[in-house]
Amino acid sequence: MQAVLITGGSGLIGSVLSEKLLNRGYQVFHLSRSTSNSNSIKIYKWDYHSSFIDPEAIQKADFIIHLAGESLVQKRWTKKQKLSIIESRVKTTDLLFKEVKKQNKKLKAFIAASGVGYYGAINSDDIATEENQYHNDFLGNVCLQWEKSAEPFNELGIRTVALRTGMVLSSKGGALSKLLPTFKWGIGSAIGSGQQNVSWIHIDDLCEMYIKAIEDDKMQGPYNAVAPEQVSNFKFSKMLANSLKKSFWMPNIPGVILKLMLGEMSIMLLKGSRVSSEKIEETGFSFSFPTIKSALQNLIEK
Ligand SMILES: NC(=O)c1ccc[n+]([C@@H]2O[C@H](COP(=O)([O-])OP(=O)(O)OC[C@H]3O[C@@H](n4cnc5c(N)ncnc54)[C@H](OP(=O)(O)O)[C@@H]3O)[C@@H](O)[C@H]2O)c1
């Protein structure tokens, strides 16, 4: 039985991915800041602040999926919060690497989350591929450092994969659960100009992509984890209202209001470029929810 160690496995993506892996016969362990009990999953503790990691977690792992990281959207992006966003990703990768190296552990792959923020919070009609350079803004730098921190695994001969993930759509949390109440009341609207692109992915497709990254040993390097259909914020918002059978009449929320409410973080909502899913499709990966209509219908019916 193959063993998969997931960091941040208690989160939105990790909890669904864990369930899917268990159903496919994998052994699953989590690395967490707290060891609150879970029935089917053994949880090991770590703390990057004190460089502590339970060595047994690494001893037992065939694969590591690194999802842990301070939320990008929970708190305003103060200097301190920005540092925590970066360090919780980079220093945790360093800690994993040090322990893997110390144990001379022959991992089969190190697979990590990254974000489409790599391409920058910009509005552009160009379609970003994995060949693009990172964009020199806060999220671009976070993603760059996050991905670079995994390079030492590669140097040890361990296959590494980074999934540059778009907005994850799930009925259990994340962006959709924040949007649903206002749309259910029939007062949902687009944001800013509404022309900015929303790169999105259904949570089931994303989890299948992680499983493919485990099972397909030809996968290596960065892959965009976004659905093939490109949608503007206006189209996304209208489709959401339609899926709920609600009217869509409210004027767009002005960008200036979001800037006041959220500060610099508002760029995540107000900007967005187009991102290609071609490279992952070339591996033979097939999306269950390639269009926003199919994804929303599935999630809203759940
Ligand atoms: N959801 C999205 O739309 C989306 C889009 C693009 C990229 N991503 C990336 O994918 C990864 C997983 O996303 P998710 O939505 O599942 O995130 P999530 O629900 O916020 O879960 C992340 C997990 O990371 C751990 N964590 C949180 N803050 C931490 C800190 N300061 N230091 C160390 N660990 C910390 C927590 O696990 P413990 O409490 O068990 O330690 C938490 O459950 C994240 O890195 C995220 O940035 C997500």
Side-chain angles (χ1 to χ4, degrees):
M1 200 187 274
Q2 306 263 52
V4 183
L5 175 67
I6 306 181
T7 75
S10 59
L12 180 71
I13 299 168
S15 50
V16 177
L17 178 59
S18 300
E19 229 178 274
K20 285 184 187 286
L21 285 167
L22 288 170
N23 288 338
R24 309 266 171 105
Y26 285 92
Q27 245 184 316
V28 176
F29 309 111
H30 286 175
L31 255 180
S32 173
R33 293 164 300 167
S34 63
T35 48
S36 52
N37 269 336
S38 144
N39 289 338
S40 45
I41 295 173
K42 166 98 182 145
I43 301 173
Y44 293 100
K45 202 160 182 242
W46 69 340
D47 174 18
Y48 75 87
H49 295 285
S50 61
S51 298
F52 172 77
I53 181 166
D54 187 330
E56 197 179 306
I58 302 295
Q59 271 157 30
K60 289 207 167 159
D62 293 306
F63 296 90
I64 296 179
I65 296 190
H66 184 30
L67 302 176
E70 176 75 20
S71 166
L72 296 177
V73 294
Q74 225 159 40
K75 293 184 189 160
R76 276 176 95 90
W77 289 357
T78 58
K79 240 182 170 172
K80 189 171 162 221
Q81 183 63 6
K82 281 181 167 179
L83 195 65
S84 176
I85 287 172
I86 295 174
E87 288 191 348
S88 61
R89 289 171 169 80
V90 172
K91 290 198 170 176
T92 46
T93 315
D94 291 346
L95 186 55
L96 289 165
F97 175 73
K98 279 185 190 139
E99 190 58 33
V100 164
K101 191 165 178 216
K102 189 169 144 195
Q103 293 187 20
N104 195 18
K105 174 78 197 177
K106 303 286 177 229
L107 270 186
K108 292 182 178 154
F110 179 81
I111 301 158
S114 180
V116 292
Y118 186 91
Y119 305 113
I122 48 169
N123 289 344
S124 165
D125 282 337
D126 295 340
I127 301 185
T129 75
E130 291 80 352
E131 301 295 309
N132 279 41
Q133 289 290 311
Y134 84 103
H135 188 80
N136 190 10
D137 61 10
F138 174 62
L139 286 182
N141 274 290
V142 170
C143 295
L144 179 75
Q145 291 184 53
W146 198 358
E147 291 184 21
K148 270 195 171 299
S149 64
E151 281 175 7
F153 284 98
N154 231 343
E155 287 154 19
L156 277 190
I158 294 169
R159 183 169 67 86
T160 63
V161 176
L163 295 185
R164 293 181 183 158
T165 310
M167 178 174 79
V168 179
L169 298 183
S170 159
S171 55
K172 295 190 179 128
L176 194 57
S177 65
K178 292 198 172 72
L179 291 169
L180 272 177
T182 44
F183 279 82
K184 278 184 177 163
W185 295 330
I187 53 168
S189 64
I191 291 170
S193 71
Q195 297 310 305
Q196 68 277 28
N197 195 69
V198 179
S199 291
W200 61 276
I201 184 164
H202 188 295
I203 188 144
D204 288 349
D205 279 331
L206 178 62
C207 291
E208 290 303 328
M209 238 179 243
Y210 274 104
I211 295 173
K212 170 126 179 97
I214 289 175
E215 294 176 351
D216 181 350
D217 61 14
K218 288 194 246 6
M219 278 182 71
Q220 168 88 44
Y223 292 82
N224 295 333
V226 297
E229 190 187 29
Q230 316 276 336
V231 287
S232 67
N233 176 273
F234 183 85
K235 182 171 176 191
F236 174 84
S237 308
K238 192 163 190 281
M239 292 298 302
L240 180 53
N242 288 349
S243 308
L244 290 162
K245 301 191 174 43
K246 295 289 176 186
S247 52
F248 185 63
W249 57 275
M250 289 284 286
N252 293 9
I253 302 172
V256 63
I257 296 196
L258 279 172
K259 279 183 202 151
L260 280 171
M261 281 167 59
L262 304 174
E264 188 184 341
M265 188 205 295
S266 61
I267 54 171
M268 288 181 73
L269 299 170
L270 294 170
K271 306 269 174 162
S273 50
R274 302 169 73 193
V275 176
S276 165
S277 60
E278 239 174 72
K279 186 177 173 193
I280 188 73
E281 289 179 280
E282 280 164 6
T283 66
F285 182 82
S286 159
F287 286 85
S288 297
F289 303 99
T291 63
I292 191 67
K293 190 172 176 189
S294 60
L296 289 175
Q297 270 175 355
N298 170 268
L299 292 166
I300 283 162
E301 277 165 19
K302 271 187 182 173

